[in-house]
Amino acid sequence: MKVIARVLSGLALVCVTGLSAAQGYPDKPIRLIVPFPPGGGTDVLAREAALKVAKSTGWNIVTENRPGSGGNIGVDAVAKSAADGYSLVLGQTSNLAINPTLYAKLPYDPEKDLTAIGLVADAPLVLVVPANSPLKSFDDMIAAARAKPELLTYASSGNGTVAHLAAVQLQNAADIKLTHIPYKGAAQASNDLIGGQIDMYLSSVPTLIGHIRNGKMRALAVTAAQRASDLPDVPTIAERGYPGFEAVTWFGLAAPAGVPPEIVQRLNAEFNKALQTPDLSQKYQEQGARVLTSTPEEFAKLIHDDRIRWGKIVKDSGARVE
């Protein structure tokens, strides 16, 4: 009986501690890590959401860029942080669902070392060429690739990213061969595309929509099932002869494993509230992204399910990073 009493007493202490932590939360700045360089799609979405939540709650949210290794460095930094709710990361499909299969030695396990907070947005990818490219349409690209296999180059944000694997799927579906040029960040890839060092670039709509609108890049196709609302004149790959083709990237907040459930729920509630405001939704739409909200449980299930789905594609593609 004494053992049982001690166990019950311990559980009660944990509950009280968790509640007190949530009641006083936050009493210092919250760090939101973006695991990619400044200026990319993930960076823009993170900063807009953090700004909105900070304004509505009075919280001090500091956004910090920690790029490298396909997003692994930034995600790992949060996975190894204190489980107190003061370290968050805006992860995405690549570093939460793809990298566990892609990397031989990943320093974290998204399902064991992180706590899912909630989804933020998703976005299709868009295939672009420089404004002066002789490739005027998606069909032109396919024809050129078939005429001279491996001559056309395309950039992505790294090996095994959604963009890279979407291009692998496209090459298999269209029976073409392209040459992959992986980059570490959107800025350099965009500059090289505009400068003519590479032929094409496949990345998320939020990353490239500004260059498309200012006329420096021409969009050939998007990877969603339907046309993107911000690029209504750009066809989908599916409608250009590859039915069922779809590849989107999602973005979601995570914290270290073990964060008290009360804090997880508080973070989820405040970010969901911000995401549902018309002005933030409009800002996301202007960036080519669609606002998403979820419970922590729904986001955790998506990570698990997409880990299985993309894991199979990674294995079939033969992609591997040591």
Side-chain angles (χ1 to χ4, degrees), residues 8-320:
L8 292 176
S9 176
L11 289 173
L13 179 60
V14 169
C15 291
V16 170
T17 302
L19 286 172
S20 63
Q23 288 169 355
Y25 178 87
D27 59 7
K28 63 181 181 179
I30 298 171
R31 179 181 60 157
L32 173 56
I33 286 184
V34 178
F36 293 101
T42 307
D43 185 59
V44 172
L45 299 181
R47 292 179 185 278
E48 291 287 359
L51 180 63
K52 186 66 177 178
V53 171
K55 284 185 175 179
S56 64
T57 62
W59 295 356
N60 184 1
I61 304 177
V62 180
T63 306
E64 176 186 336
N65 296 90
R66 293 284 294 273
S69 189
N72 295 343
I73 291 175
V75 175
D76 187 49
V78 170
K80 290 180 171 55
S81 296
D84 54 11
Y86 289 96
S87 293
L88 308 176
V89 64
L90 187 64
Q92 58 177 200
T93 311
S94 60
N95 44 56
L96 296 184
I98 294 174
N99 288 1
T101 305
L102 177 70
Y103 282 76
K105 294 181 180 179
L106 195 66
Y108 60 89
D109 184 318
E111 296 186 70
K112 295 179 180 178
D113 300 330
L114 294 169
T115 297
I117 302 295
L119 281 164
V120 169
D122 70 0
L125 308 177
V126 59
L127 180 66
V128 298
V129 295
N132 61 357
S133 171
L135 304 175
K136 305 299 182 183
S137 68
F138 180 78
D139 292 345
D140 286 348
M141 184 277 291
I142 294 295
R146 285 176 175 163
K148 295 183 178 180
E150 300 183 349
L151 180 65
L152 291 179
T153 59
Y154 76 93
S156 81
S157 54
N159 287 314
T161 57
V162 175
H164 175 211
L165 296 179
V168 170
Q169 291 183 77
L170 174 60
Q171 291 174 82
N172 291 337
D175 193 23
I176 59 174
K177 290 185 178 181
L178 307 171
T179 297
H180 181 214
I181 311 295
Y183 280 77
K184 292 183 178 180
Q188 188 59 52
S190 296
N191 289 338
D192 284 359
L193 181 80
I194 294 168
Q197 281 77 37
I198 48 177
D199 299 309
M200 301 179 291
Y201 184 15
L202 185 62
S203 190
S204 68
V205 172
T207 297
L208 300 178
I209 195 165
H211 294 297
I212 296 169
R213 286 175 174 159
N214 67 22
K216 293 183 179 180
M217 297 180 185
R218 181 187 308 118
L220 301 185
V222 294
T223 63
Q226 291 86 33
R227 294 193 180 197
S229 59
D230 294 275
L231 299 171
D233 298 327
V234 181
T236 68
I237 291 177
E239 69 183 83
R240 296 315 303 158
Y242 306 94
F245 190 98
E246 182 179 11
V248 299
T249 186
W250 43 254
F251 307 83
L253 287 165
V259 172
E262 296 81 6
I263 291 179
V264 171
Q265 292 299 331
R266 182 103 187 265
L267 286 164
N268 177 268
E270 294 298 345
F271 273 92
N272 280 350
K273 187 194 305 181
L275 290 163
Q276 291 168 343
T277 57
D279 57 336
L280 185 57
S281 180
Q282 179 63 30
K283 286 180 179 179
Y284 271 32
Q285 185 175 343
E286 289 171 356
Q287 293 296 326
R290 178 183 64 160
V291 162
L292 293 179
T293 59
S294 74
T295 65
E297 294 76 17
E298 288 169 341
F299 184 32
K301 185 178 186 304
L302 177 63
I303 294 172
H304 175 77
D305 292 347
D306 267 16
R307 183 172 181 170
I308 295 172
R309 175 198 169 205
W310 286 107
K312 183 178 185 305
I313 295 172
V314 170
K315 290 176 181 176
D316 290 346
S317 72
R320 192 70 169 166

